[in-house]
């Protein structure tokens, strides 16, 4: 039976599609869109757990993060970077260990500011990488080539001189 990929909308046979939840994806879309999304979610989940010293996240936190993705179009990767920005760059003080929200309610308010911050940071890193490539190219460039001219040498004379020196 032929089905459409949920992402690219092309028609494929069932054997060529992968089911994720209620949706079907072609191999390309699954590898390039679904898997990175799952990895970003896992990264966000683990980061929030680690920063707040939790064994697992409460269902209210999971619901809030997924709501930000669907309602506010905030990617899981963007949420992760924004939360890192709140905790490590801005160092917003926490209300206490058992406040329950873990400052995740601030994500929509800091999202644009964090996006600008990381955009500039990634741009600087890219420029630095380009500078390193230029340095590498400069160091491997040969400035001028030296030409050698052949000389006709008479080795007999040289050997005779060596023999005379050895005799002494």
């Amino acid at each position: 039976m032929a089905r459409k990929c949920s992402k690219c909308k092309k028609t494929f046979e069932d054997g060529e599609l992968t089911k994720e939840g209620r949706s079907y994806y072609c191999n390309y879309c699954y590898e390039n869109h679904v898997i990175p999304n799952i990895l970003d979610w896992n990264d966000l989940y683990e980061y929030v757990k680690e920063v707040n010293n939790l064994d697992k996240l409460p269902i209210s936190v999971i619901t809030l993060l997924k709501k930000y993705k669907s309602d506010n179009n905030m990617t899981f990767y963007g949420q992760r970077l924004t939360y890192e920005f709140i905790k490590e760059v801005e160092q917003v003080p926490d209300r206490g260990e058992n406040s329950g929200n873990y400052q995740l309610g601030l994500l929509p308010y800091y999202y644009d500011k964090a996006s600008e911050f990381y955009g500039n940071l990634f741009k600087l890193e890219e420029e630095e990488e380009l500078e390193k490539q230029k340095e590498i190219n400069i160091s491997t460039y040969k400035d001028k080539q030296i030409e050698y001219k052949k000389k006709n040498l008479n080795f007999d004379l040289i050997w005779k001189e060596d023999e005379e020196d050895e005799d002494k």
Side-chain angles (χ1 to χ4, degrees):
M1 179 179 179
R3 295 182 190 255
K4 286 188 176 182
C5 171
S6 298
K7 184 74 177 169
C8 67
K9 306 297 184 206
K10 293 180 183 174
T11 304
F12 295 93
E13 292 297 320
D14 278 345
E16 299 172 322
L17 296 171
T18 304
K19 185 175 181 181
E20 179 68 33
R22 295 181 184 167
S23 303
Y24 290 89
Y25 298 95
C26 66
N27 292 333
Y28 177 81
C29 291
Y30 187 75
E31 290 174 7
N32 293 305
H33 299 287
V34 177
I35 290 178
N37 193 35
I38 292 170
L39 294 175
D40 289 344
W41 165 253
N42 290 341
D43 189 37
L44 172 63
Y45 184 88
E46 291 298 322
Y47 183 74
V48 173
K49 273 181 22 184
E50 179 186 322
V51 168
N52 295 297
N53 299 321
L54 300 171
D55 293 332
K56 65 179 186 174
L57 292 181
I59 194 69
S60 60
V61 170
I62 293 171
T63 305
L64 183 63
L65 293 174
K66 291 192 175 187
K67 181 182 175 210
Y68 287 155
K69 172 131 172 70
S70 62
D71 294 352
N72 297 8
N73 293 327
M74 297 170 64
T75 63
F76 292 133
Y77 182 70
Q79 290 180 51
R80 158 76 162 82
L81 290 178
T82 303
Y83 195 62
E84 183 179 316
F85 179 78
I86 291 169
K87 287 291 199 177
E88 297 177 15
V89 177
E90 290 289 313
Q91 298 179 347
V92 176
D94 201 358
R95 283 196 231 160
E97 223 174 273
N98 297 322
S99 64
N101 69 356
Y102 310 108
Q103 298 178 327
L104 292 169
L106 300 175
L107 287 178
Y109 302 104
Y110 280 89
Y111 193 78
D112 292 334
K113 191 174 182 181
S115 176
E116 181 182 335
F117 174 79
Y118 283 108
N120 291 336
L121 181 66
F122 294 150
K123 184 178 176 185
L124 287 173
E125 288 174 353
E126 187 177 296
E127 288 174 359
E128 183 180 332
E129 185 65 31
L130 289 174
E131 286 297 319
K132 285 181 182 178
Q133 288 178 356
K134 285 181 184 177
E135 289 174 12
I136 292 170
N137 289 341
I138 290 172
S139 65
T140 59
Y141 179 75
K142 291 183 180 179
D143 212 14
K144 68 178 188 178
Q145 293 181 353
I146 300 172
E147 289 185 28
Y148 293 99
K149 294 181 181 179
K150 290 184 180 179
K151 293 182 180 178
N152 292 330
L153 295 176
N154 188 351
F155 288 104
D156 293 332
L157 292 175
I158 296 172
W159 288 333
K160 284 182 185 177
E161 290 175 2
D162 285 341
E163 289 175 4
E164 290 174 1
D165 290 338
E166 288 176 6
D167 291 338
K168 292 182 184 177

